[in-house]
Amino acid sequence: MEEIVYHTNYKLEDNYWWFVARNSIIRDIIDEKCNLKDGDDFLDVGCGTGGFTAMLLDRFNVIGLDASQTALEYSKKRGLKNLYDCYLDSFPKEKWNVKGISMLDVIEHIEDDLAVAKQAYDILPDGGCLVLSVPAYQWLWSRHDEIHMHYRRYTKAGIKNVLKKAGFEIEFSSYMNFFLFPAAVIKRFIDKITGADKKHDAPVDEVSAMMNKIFTKLFLFEGKLLKLFRFPVGVSVLIIARKKNPD
């Protein structure tokens, strides 16, 4: 990612609606569906500036991995200690007993997504859990994706197919950020028509304090609904996958 993304993320992760709601929803999903024990080794791949990783410290022995030294310096400021400056294929898996892995908005940054999915599969024990989120729909591609150095966006079927090829079983899959999806679609198309998208260099869209509260509550409400049903569309895709137990 461009360097400005890390600086911006560190400033906003604790209060910007998208980070706050996404991280809270995924933390609840991990607690509910991953069947992990307190104290288990948990690896956050692409931990960035550590906002989500730090949320897991109260329950797991958390390990953060990122290829950006800038990101890891910010993670240290959040109190994270088990940090690795490397890619997943260089992670010293023999030193840890990793039972869960998160890859939140990470795999779209990697050209060979199947290869990194297989690397995650190899690190996990039988029954280990992978939590993954990705941006949805290639037709929503924008300047935002370029700033964040994405290779692609996904459909739910597309990312599930990658994980299945890597050997995972899919236990949970849904689109996410459903209620704000229509607004996101309209904004993307207006920006493209007017040319505003080409001029957009900020890592995130600025919103007023009032709108930030509204968006946070609306997005968080989805977390409650995800316990009841799956959303048919959304700005992101959320997946829970598990390494197959031996027959």
Side-chain angles (χ1 to χ4, degrees), residues 157-201:
I159 186 60
K160 287 171 65 175
N161 187 51
V162 171
L163 296 177
K164 287 177 180 178
K165 285 182 178 179
F168 285 102
E169 291 182 336
I170 308 300
E171 292 196 348
F172 172 95
S173 64
S174 177
Y175 285 98
M176 187 170 61
N177 205 349
F178 168 76
F179 292 117
L180 293 171
F181 178 70
V185 172
I186 292 170
K187 184 180 186 305
R188 293 286 170 88
F189 279 103
I190 290 176
D191 285 350
K192 288 180 180 179
I193 291 171
T194 62
D197 186 52
K198 295 180 180 179
K199 302 175 183 178
H200 186 76
D201 290 323

